Amino acid sequence: MSDEPAERSTITGDDVLAALARSGPEYGPVLAHELGVPNETVRRRCRALAAVGAVERVTEEPLYRLTERGKRDVGAAPGGERRPITN
């Protein structure tokens, strides 16, 4: 059995928010590995989340963290229902 996560075709903004809620501030490539998606997928989701104020890029390197809004949004979907994040 491999330590590598199975690659997924897509993730939601909620997936990124939940990963950041578990890990705290994290680098984009690490999030991509944890979520099993390409780096570019995480970059696009984080840009969309940043546009609505749910995450912020902390450094020039792609280190992201939840904002206060993002912390509220993590638990906002009842029953684990996924909400689309748009920019």
Side-chain angles (χ1 to χ4, degrees), residues 17-81:
L17 293 176
L20 287 171
R22 285 189 303 272
S23 70
E26 192 57 84
Y27 290 97
V30 175
L31 287 171
H33 176 77
E34 289 176 7
L35 294 168
V37 296
N39 289 340
E40 183 57 31
T41 301
V42 168
R43 253 183 253 127
R44 281 192 312 268
R45 287 293 178 203
C46 285
R47 279 194 303 262
L49 290 165
V52 298
V55 302
E56 60 185 350
R57 192 168 176 167
V58 181
T59 66
E60 287 301 311
E61 295 174 352
L63 178 66
Y64 298 98
R65 68 176 169 202
L66 291 175
T67 61
E68 289 305 313
R69 177 186 172 169
K71 291 174 187 176
R72 287 189 309 270
D73 287 351
V74 168
E81 179 182 315

Side-chain angles (χ1 to χ4, degrees), residues 8 12 14-15 18 77-78 80-84:
R8 297 168 59 183
T12 66
D14 286 342
D15 293 326
E81 179 182 315
R82 305 282 183 185
R83 295 177 324 281

